[in-house]
Every structure is written in structure tokens, then in C-alpha cells.
């Protein structure tokens, strides 16, 4: 029996831990699991709604660290998590993704000689101005087992000199959640609530500091949204940080002035899945949404200069448009004028709903850890 602690901190972690938690509960003879929520995200809409939609049990341990600067938040998780590890003495700690909680918990374990497995290892944007890129690089350096979602991630790790014995390709566990919940998401009433017709609207998400923390960058994206909004309604469930920045940067009137841009509160997993799968186009700076649209076959315009998920571009659904308004509008026009042929839809290898069990199998497998 392996004793595991699994960590979730922020919204994009919840859909990654849910399938692993469910798989461990199906295998009680092999795994005993403790779920730790760091409290990096704490609003009902950013956290509780996801636990409910994903059928996640209440966390066993809630660290309640909340928001803060990167240093303050990371340090708060480190300080709060160490006593949990000392008390539980797990065989493995499983961290997912690239948020501050991921790195903080991996670092605690590395110093205590507790084994860490990193789910979604090896992704690289090669843009060190992104806080997530720093979290990815450092977590992969100190984790014992690097569980990768796609072959490009394996190649990145090898190129950094990480020994083969630490790398294991398991596929994309977030897609386990998507495939499992798609049927339930069809019952969502979000399209009716927002008075939308299937394939007649675009969905936008925006929260990266590089896009929303600086007035000029944000304003340029708004210019592009005004042009796209002339073709179809753009539904914008706004992250709390984005909403705050709209006010702080004095952009509220500009946002209100784009009549077809509809700012709404953040929505839960099932409603978002429904909204995204019915959309004609998705515009985003999120990493996970680039992957979800690949599996759903929805054109995605990524409002960043780079991606750590190049496989989504290779599969043909994702376009890296950057933040130049002309390029964004051109990419959106191209996607709207050439709807994808869904009969040719293909998912990358191991994005098949079985990654959680591959992750658990990898934890059980004896391996030489250098
Ligand atoms: C974090 C992750 C990012 C991920 C994003 C998804 C890091 C470095 N960043 O960014 O990779 O894509 O989550 O959402 O870990 N806030 C609330 N309520 C909450 C949480 C946050 O109002 O429940 C507000 C606070 O004002 C906070 C701000 O959002 O200061 C930013 O939160 P934070 O956790 O620092 O980073 P995110 O931008 O959410």
C-alpha cells in the first residue's frame, strides 16, 4: 500500500487531480490518499464550484494560504505544507501543473527526502518572464518522477539532461476529466441562461499578468475584441484578477463600450465545458484551454507570443496569434471563415481518458531514481 498526498492549489489544478483521486479510490488496496488544498484559490467560483462539478471530496487538509506576491504566496505554502508532510510521512507527494503551489510543495518534499511526482512535467514555453515557466523548470529539476503529457515534453526533459529513468509518458490527465464530464456538461443550461445559440458566439478568457496587468497590452487586446465582436458575440467569464485590473487600469468604459463583449462572472467546470464545446471560436491566454479545444475540435486563438503546448498547434486547432491586434483579428477571421472538419478530428496520443491509471501505475513501478 502506497501512502500518497496529492496537492491542489489553484483552479487549473482541480480538473487534473480529480481523475487521480477517483482512480486511487477505485484501487484502495494499493493506495491511501490524502488531498491537500493549499488555498491559493479560495473564492467559491474559483474553487468550490470545481470540487462540486468534478465530484471531488472535501480536501483532507486545507492550508488556507490565500493571495499575495509570488514570494509571499510561495513561502506561505512552503511553511504551511512542511508540517503536513512531517506528520503524514507519505511515500509519494503528487503535484500537478505549474502554479506557485506546485513548486512550493515540491520544494518542501525535496528538502525532506520525500519522493515527488510531477504531473504535466516537461512543458516549456521558453519564456522566463512567465511565472509558470519558472515553476515548471524548478519543479522538474527537483521532482523524482516526471509524468509527461506529450512526447515534446519528454524531449524537453532529455535536452535538459534529465535521466530517462525519471521520465514517464502518461498522457494528459486533464483530458480524463473532460472526457468523463462531457456528457454531464450537455445538461448545463448556460447557453439558455446567456441566450446563446450553438456555434453563434466566441468565448474569451484572459488572465495572464503580461496581458492584463499593463494598460497598453490590455488595450491592444480590447481593440482586437472590438473588431471580432462586430462579427459575433464574445462571452468573457472574467478571472477576478482581470476584473480587478479592468478597474485599476481605468479600462471599464472601454470594455463596456464594446457592445458584443459580454463580461460575466467566472463559471464552473461543467458550464464552461458546455460553453466552450458550443462555441465557434475560443480566444484565450490559458494553457489548459488550448488543450481542451484540441480534443473538442474548436478553433482556438492563443493571445500569447508562445506556447508550452506546441502539440495543440501541430494538431491544427490552435493558432498562436500573439497580442498584436491585427494578427489576432486576422487569425480570428481565418478561423471563422474556415470552420474545422470535425470528421478529421484527432486527439494526441494518450489523451484518451486513461492517464490517471497510468500515473498510479508509474508510482507503483520500481524505478532507479538518480
Ligand atoms: C494562478 C496561476 C496561473 C493559473 C491561474 C488560473 C501561479 C503563478 N499562477 O494565477 O498559472 O493559470 O492561477 O486561474 O500560480 N483572486 C481572487 N480569488 C481567488 C484567487 C485569486 O480574487 O480565489 C485574485 C486575487 O486578487 C489575487 C489574484 O486573483 O491576487 C491572482 O491570484 P493568484 O493565485 O496570485 O494568481 P492567478 O492569476 O490566479
Amino acid at each position: 500500500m502506497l501512502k500518497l498526498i496529492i496537492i491542489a492549489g489553484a483552479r487549473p489544478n482541480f480538473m487534473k487531480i480529480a481523475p487521480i483521486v477517483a482512480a486511487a479510490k477505485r484501487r484502495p488496496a494499493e493506495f491511501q490518499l490524502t488531498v491537500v488544498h493549499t488555498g491559493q484559490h479560495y473564492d467559491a467560483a474559483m474553487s468550490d464550484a470545481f470540487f462540486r462539478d468534478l465530484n471531488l471530496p472535501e480536501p483532507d487538509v486545507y492550508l488556507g494560504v490565500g493571495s499575495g506576491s509570488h514570494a509571499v504566496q510561495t513561502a506561505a505554502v512552503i511553511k504551511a505544507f512542511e508540517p503536513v508532510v512531517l506528520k503524514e510521512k507519505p511515500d509519494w507527494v503528487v503535484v500537478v501543473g505549474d502554479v506557485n503551489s506546485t513548486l512550493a510543495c515540491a520544494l518542501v518534499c525535496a528538502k525532506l527526502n520525500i519522493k515527488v511526482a510531477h504531473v504535466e512535467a516537461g512543458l516549456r514555453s521558453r519564456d522566463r518572464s512567465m511565472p509558470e515557466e519558472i515553476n515548471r523548470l524548478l519543479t522538474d529539476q527537483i521532482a523524482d518522477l516526471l509524468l509527461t503529457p506529450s512526447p515534446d515534453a519528454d524531449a524537453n526533459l532529455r535536452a535538459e539532461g534529465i535521466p530517462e529513468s525519471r521520465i514517464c509518458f502518461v498522457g494528459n490527465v486533464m483530458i480524463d476529466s473532460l472526457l468523463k464530464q462531457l456528457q454531464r456538461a450537455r445538461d448545463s443550461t448556460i447557453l439558455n441562461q446567456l441566450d446563446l445559440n450553438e456555434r453563434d458566439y466566441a468565448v474569451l478568457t484572459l488572465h495572464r499578468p503580461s496581458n492584463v496587468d499593463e494598460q497598453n497590452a490590455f488595450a491592444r487586446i480590447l481593440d482586437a475584441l472590438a473588431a471580432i465582436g462586430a462579427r459575433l458575440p464574445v462571452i468573457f467569464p472574467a478571472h477576478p484578477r482581470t476584473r480587478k485590473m479592468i478597474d485599476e487600469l481605468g479600462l471599464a468604459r472601454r470594455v463596456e463600450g464594446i457592445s458584443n463583449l459580454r463580461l460575466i462572472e467566472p463559471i464552473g467546470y461543467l458550464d464552461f465545458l458546455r460553453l466552450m464545446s458550443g462555441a465557434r471560436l475560443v480566444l484565450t491566454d490559458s494553457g489548459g484551454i488550448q488543450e481542451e479545444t484540441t480534443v473538442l475540435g474548436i478553433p482556438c486563438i492563443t493571445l500569447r507570443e508562445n506556447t508550452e503546448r506546441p502539440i495543440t498547434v501541430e494538431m491544427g486547432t490552435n493558432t498562436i496569434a500573439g497580442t498584436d491586434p491585427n494578427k489576432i483579428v486576422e487569425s480570428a477571421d481565418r478561423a471563422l471563415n474556415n470552420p474545422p472538419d470535425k470528421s478529421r478530428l484527432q486527439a494526441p496520443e494518450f489523451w484518451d481518458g486513461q492517464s490517471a491509471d497510468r500515473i498510479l501505475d508509474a508510482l507503483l513501478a520500481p524505478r532507479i531514481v538518480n
Side-chain angles (χ1 to χ4, degrees):
M1 155 93 71
L2 281 186
K3 200 167 171 187
L4 308 182
I5 293 182
I6 189 160
I7 310 294
R11 183 169 64 177
N13 293 160
F14 305 135
M15 54 294 266
K16 294 170 195 165
I17 71 154
I20 307 173
V21 172
K25 289 198 184 295
R26 280 196 307 272
R27 298 167 63 170
E30 294 167 292
F31 299 100
Q32 184 202 323
L33 183 69
T34 301
V35 177
V36 174
H37 187 327
T38 66
Q40 176 172 345
H41 284 175
Y42 43 84
D43 281 352
M46 299 296 283
S47 177
D48 305 3
F50 286 79
F51 272 71
R52 219 174 24 247
D53 281 358
L54 292 158
N55 293 326
L56 269 165
E58 287 278 300
D60 300 293
V61 181
Y62 187 73
L63 303 179
V65 299
S67 301
S69 69
H70 285 269
V72 165
Q73 188 174 60
T74 308
V77 176
I78 290 175
K79 208 168 156 189
F81 184 52
E82 185 180 50
V84 178
V85 180
L86 290 170
K87 176 165 170 266
E88 298 287 332
K89 300 190 181 63
D91 296 299
W92 283 98
V93 171
V94 179
V95 297
V96 301
D98 54 18
V99 303
N100 287 341
S101 301
T102 310
L103 171 62
C105 292
L107 188 52
V108 168
C109 298
K111 295 284 182 76
L112 294 174
N113 279 323
I114 296 284
K115 283 190 288 185
V116 183
H118 182 206
V119 174
E120 201 185 271
L123 298 184
R124 297 289 181 268
S125 66
R126 302 194 166 75
D127 173 2
R128 291 197 183 193
S129 68
M130 273 180 91
E132 293 81 4
E133 183 73 354
I134 306 298
N135 292 342
R136 292 181 201 115
L137 281 161
L138 297 180
T139 303
D140 287 343
Q141 278 299 316
I142 56 181
D144 300 275
L145 180 57
L146 302 175
L147 300 158
T148 60
S150 46
D152 56 285
D154 293 43
N156 290 336
L157 294 171
R158 281 186 208 115
E160 287 170 19
I162 293 187
E164 205 64 43
S165 58
R166 280 172 57 202
I167 306 171
C168 183
F169 172 40
V170 293
N172 191 331
V173 76
M174 198 185 63
I175 302 305
D176 289 23
S177 275
L178 183 144
L179 296 176
K180 183 162 176 209
Q181 304 297 350
L182 209 47
Q183 190 59 42
R184 283 176 70 218
R186 293 202 178 104
D187 296 335
S188 153
T189 57
I190 188 81
L191 263 55
N192 284 341
Q193 286 172 45
L194 296 173
D195 202 13
L196 294 170
N197 295 319
E198 190 96 7
R199 304 277 163 254
D200 209 10
Y201 61 91
V203 175
L204 165 73
T205 81
L206 207 58
H207 74 281
R208 296 269 158 229
S210 56
N211 282 337
V212 304
D213 284 7
E214 205 261 308
Q215 191 186 34
N216 195 29
F218 203 161
R220 278 158 55 88
I221 293 176
L222 291 175
D223 287 343
L225 293 170
I228 296 166
R231 289 195 65 175
L232 78 179
V234 179
I235 313 303
F236 182 15
H239 188 290
R241 132 182 243 122
T242 308
R243 209 171 259 278
K244 197 169 79 183
M245 293 317 295
I246 289 173
D247 291 334
E248 273 180 28
L249 297 174
L251 290 169
R253 285 184 57 183
R254 175 88 182 92
V255 169
E256 281 158 24
I258 305 175
S259 57
N260 243 350
L261 180 63
R262 291 174 55 186
L263 206 75
I264 61 171
E265 290 300 315
I267 54 179
Y269 184 74
L270 294 172
D271 283 342
F272 191 73
L273 201 50
R274 179 69 191 97
L275 194 62
M276 189 165 51
S277 47
R280 196 150 143 217
L281 180 70
V282 170
L283 301 132
T284 192
D285 60 5
S286 148
I289 292 172
Q290 296 173 49
E291 299 181 331
E292 289 167 337
T293 45
T294 287
V295 172
L296 295 169
I298 307 291
C300 175
I301 308 294
T302 295
L303 307 178
R304 285 172 42 193
E305 303 296 342
N306 50 57
T307 182
E308 60 288 333
R309 285 146 162 112
I311 198 163
T312 59
V313 178
E314 284 156 32
M315 298 308 285
T317 46
N318 189 15
T319 305
I320 308 301
T323 52
D324 174 332
N326 294 328
K327 243 185 116 185
I328 297 171
V329 176
E330 261 171 45
S331 306
D333 280 342
R334 211 173 309 122
L336 290 170
N337 296 340
N338 303 289
D341 175 359
K342 286 227 176 177
S343 66
R344 298 180 54 191
L345 189 61
Q346 254 193 334
E349 188 186 1
F350 281 0
W351 293 26
D352 59 356
Q354 307 299 321
S355 293
D357 277 306
R358 282 187 212 107
I359 290 167
L360 294 182
D361 292 343
L363 295 175
L364 288 170
R367 63 182 60 245
I368 311 146
V369 175
N370 305 55

mmCIF file of all heavy atoms in Angstrom, residues 142-161:
data_model
loop_
_atom_site.group_PDB
_atom_site.id
_atom_site.type_symbol
_atom_site.label_atom_id
_atom_site.label_comp_id
_atom_site.label_asym_id
_atom_site.label_seq_id
_atom_site.Cartn_x
_atom_site.Cartn_y
_atom_site.Cartn_z
ATOM 1 N N ILE A 142 13.650 19.175 -9.393
ATOM 2 C CA ILE A 142 13.715 18.546 -8.066
ATOM 3 C C ILE A 142 12.769 17.366 -7.895
ATOM 4 O O ILE A 142 12.899 16.637 -6.926
ATOM 5 C CB ILE A 142 13.472 19.583 -6.930
ATOM 6 C CG1 ILE A 142 12.148 20.313 -7.123
ATOM 7 C CG2 ILE A 142 14.638 20.555 -6.841
ATOM 8 C CD1 ILE A 142 11.858 21.361 -6.049
ATOM 9 N N ALA A 143 11.838 17.171 -8.832
ATOM 10 C CA ALA A 143 10.915 16.035 -8.680
ATOM 11 C C ALA A 143 11.634 14.733 -9.043
ATOM 12 O O ALA A 143 12.562 14.721 -9.855
ATOM 13 C CB ALA A 143 9.691 16.239 -9.564
ATOM 14 N N ASP A 144 11.186 13.634 -8.413
ATOM 15 C CA ASP A 144 11.807 12.324 -8.654
ATOM 16 C C ASP A 144 11.239 11.656 -9.892
ATOM 17 O O ASP A 144 11.934 10.908 -10.573
ATOM 18 C CB ASP A 144 11.552 11.424 -7.443
ATOM 19 C CG ASP A 144 12.145 12.028 -6.192
ATOM 20 O OD1 ASP A 144 13.342 11.820 -5.955
ATOM 21 O OD2 ASP A 144 11.428 12.761 -5.482
ATOM 22 N N LEU A 145 9.951 11.901 -10.139
ATOM 23 C CA LEU A 145 9.283 11.231 -11.247
ATOM 24 C C LEU A 145 8.553 12.286 -12.067
ATOM 25 O O LEU A 145 7.739 13.051 -11.537
ATOM 26 C CB LEU A 145 8.289 10.205 -10.687
ATOM 27 C CG LEU A 145 7.481 9.395 -11.688
ATOM 28 C CD1 LEU A 145 8.383 8.638 -12.659
ATOM 29 C CD2 LEU A 145 6.562 8.415 -10.957
ATOM 30 N N LEU A 146 8.862 12.315 -13.379
ATOM 31 C CA LEU A 146 8.320 13.350 -14.253
ATOM 32 C C LEU A 146 7.333 12.708 -15.217
ATOM 33 O O LEU A 146 7.718 11.975 -16.133
ATOM 34 C CB LEU A 146 9.465 14.047 -14.987
ATOM 35 C CG LEU A 146 10.482 14.672 -14.018
ATOM 36 C CD1 LEU A 146 11.683 15.251 -14.746
ATOM 37 C CD2 LEU A 146 9.839 15.742 -13.169
ATOM 38 N N LEU A 147 6.054 12.959 -14.965
ATOM 39 C CA LEU A 147 4.970 12.315 -15.711
ATOM 40 C C LEU A 147 4.526 13.276 -16.801
ATOM 41 O O LEU A 147 3.986 14.361 -16.509
ATOM 42 C CB LEU A 147 3.836 11.986 -14.734
ATOM 43 C CG LEU A 147 4.285 11.041 -13.606
ATOM 44 C CD1 LEU A 147 3.368 11.136 -12.391
ATOM 45 C CD2 LEU A 147 4.341 9.602 -14.123
ATOM 46 N N THR A 148 4.765 12.900 -18.047
ATOM 47 C CA THR A 148 4.617 13.872 -19.140
ATOM 48 C C THR A 148 3.326 13.660 -19.931
ATOM 49 O O THR A 148 2.847 12.539 -20.084
ATOM 50 C CB THR A 148 5.814 13.778 -20.106
ATOM 51 O OG1 THR A 148 5.856 12.446 -20.640
ATOM 52 C CG2 THR A 148 7.112 14.095 -19.414
ATOM 53 N N PRO A 149 2.776 14.781 -20.485
ATOM 54 C CA PRO A 149 1.523 14.685 -21.235
ATOM 55 C C PRO A 149 1.703 14.428 -22.721
ATOM 56 O O PRO A 149 0.758 14.050 -23.405
ATOM 57 C CB PRO A 149 0.902 16.070 -21.022
ATOM 58 C CG PRO A 149 2.066 16.986 -20.842
ATOM 59 C CD PRO A 149 3.163 16.181 -20.204
ATOM 60 N N SER A 150 2.904 14.674 -23.251
ATOM 61 C CA SER A 150 3.098 14.583 -24.707
ATOM 62 C C SER A 150 4.586 14.363 -24.979
ATOM 63 O O SER A 150 5.433 14.733 -24.160
ATOM 64 C CB SER A 150 2.601 15.864 -25.384
ATOM 65 O OG SER A 150 3.071 16.998 -24.686
ATOM 66 N N PRO A 151 4.910 13.768 -26.126
ATOM 67 C CA PRO A 151 6.317 13.438 -26.395
ATOM 68 C C PRO A 151 7.250 14.645 -26.438
ATOM 69 O O PRO A 151 8.434 14.526 -26.125
ATOM 70 C CB PRO A 151 6.260 12.746 -27.767
ATOM 71 C CG PRO A 151 4.868 12.229 -27.874
ATOM 72 C CD PRO A 151 4.001 13.204 -27.143
ATOM 73 N N ASP A 152 6.733 15.831 -26.806
ATOM 74 C CA ASP A 152 7.606 17.021 -26.812
ATOM 75 C C ASP A 152 8.123 17.310 -25.406
ATOM 76 O O ASP A 152 9.254 17.788 -25.227
ATOM 77 C CB ASP A 152 6.860 18.235 -27.375
ATOM 78 C CG ASP A 152 5.575 18.523 -26.636
ATOM 79 O OD1 ASP A 152 4.580 17.784 -26.837
ATOM 80 O OD2 ASP A 152 5.535 19.456 -25.839
ATOM 81 N N ALA A 153 7.321 16.989 -24.400
ATOM 82 C CA ALA A 153 7.740 17.220 -23.008
ATOM 83 C C ALA A 153 8.900 16.280 -22.650
ATOM 84 O O ALA A 153 9.870 16.695 -22.010
ATOM 85 C CB ALA A 153 6.558 17.007 -22.069
ATOM 86 N N ASP A 154 8.813 15.032 -23.097
ATOM 87 C CA ASP A 154 9.930 14.090 -22.857
ATOM 88 C C ASP A 154 11.213 14.640 -23.489
ATOM 89 O O ASP A 154 12.285 14.612 -22.881
ATOM 90 C CB ASP A 154 9.645 12.714 -23.490
ATOM 91 C CG ASP A 154 8.490 11.996 -22.825
ATOM 92 O OD1 ASP A 154 7.479 12.659 -22.547
ATOM 93 O OD2 ASP A 154 8.606 10.784 -22.570
ATOM 94 N N ALA A 155 11.063 15.151 -24.721
ATOM 95 C CA ALA A 155 12.244 15.671 -25.436
ATOM 96 C C ALA A 155 12.832 16.870 -24.698
ATOM 97 O O ALA A 155 14.058 16.997 -24.583
ATOM 98 C CB ALA A 155 11.852 16.049 -26.868
ATOM 99 N N ASN A 156 11.978 17.739 -24.173
ATOM 100 C CA ASN A 156 12.478 18.902 -23.420
ATOM 101 C C ASN A 156 13.282 18.457 -22.200
ATOM 102 O O ASN A 156 14.331 19.017 -21.886
ATOM 103 C CB ASN A 156 11.313 19.772 -22.930
ATOM 104 C CG ASN A 156 10.621 20.499 -24.062
ATOM 105 O OD1 ASN A 156 11.213 20.739 -25.110
ATOM 106 N ND2 ASN A 156 9.363 20.852 -23.856
ATOM 107 N N LEU A 157 12.762 17.452 -21.500
ATOM 108 C CA LEU A 157 13.437 16.997 -20.272
ATOM 109 C C LEU A 157 14.783 16.357 -20.620
ATOM 110 O O LEU A 157 15.792 16.621 -19.957
ATOM 111 C CB LEU A 157 12.542 16.014 -19.514
ATOM 112 C CG LEU A 157 11.249 16.630 -18.959
ATOM 113 C CD1 LEU A 157 10.319 15.550 -18.415
ATOM 114 C CD2 LEU A 157 11.550 17.654 -17.871
ATOM 115 N N ARG A 158 14.793 15.525 -21.673
ATOM 116 C CA ARG A 158 16.064 14.897 -22.091
ATOM 117 C C ARG A 158 17.085 15.973 -22.444
ATOM 118 O O ARG A 158 18.248 15.878 -22.062
ATOM 119 C CB ARG A 158 15.843 14.008 -23.317
ATOM 120 C CG ARG A 158 15.259 12.675 -22.969
ATOM 121 C CD ARG A 158 15.196 11.780 -24.208
ATOM 122 N NE ARG A 158 14.099 10.866 -24.028
ATOM 123 C CZ ARG A 158 12.996 10.831 -24.772
ATOM 124 N NH1 ARG A 158 12.849 11.629 -25.817
ATOM 125 N NH2 ARG A 158 12.049 9.977 -24.493
ATOM 126 N N ALA A 159 16.626 17.003 -23.153
ATOM 127 C CA ALA A 159 17.544 18.073 -23.579
ATOM 128 C C ALA A 159 18.112 18.817 -22.365
ATOM 129 O O ALA A 159 19.178 19.415 -22.450
ATOM 130 C CB ALA A 159 16.817 19.048 -24.504
ATOM 131 N N GLU A 160 17.398 18.782 -21.249
ATOM 132 C CA GLU A 160 17.906 19.418 -20.022
ATOM 133 C C GLU A 160 18.768 18.457 -19.213
ATOM 134 O O GLU A 160 19.168 18.766 -18.084
ATOM 135 C CB GLU A 160 16.730 19.927 -19.174
ATOM 136 C CG GLU A 160 16.078 21.160 -19.785
ATOM 137 C CD GLU A 160 14.749 21.566 -19.121
ATOM 138 O OE1 GLU A 160 14.490 21.141 -17.978
ATOM 139 O OE2 GLU A 160 13.979 22.296 -19.767
ATOM 140 N N GLY A 161 19.014 17.284 -19.770
ATOM 141 C CA GLY A 161 19.918 16.340 -19.105
ATOM 142 C C GLY A 161 19.260 15.500 -18.030
ATOM 143 O O GLY A 161 19.946 14.870 -17.210
#
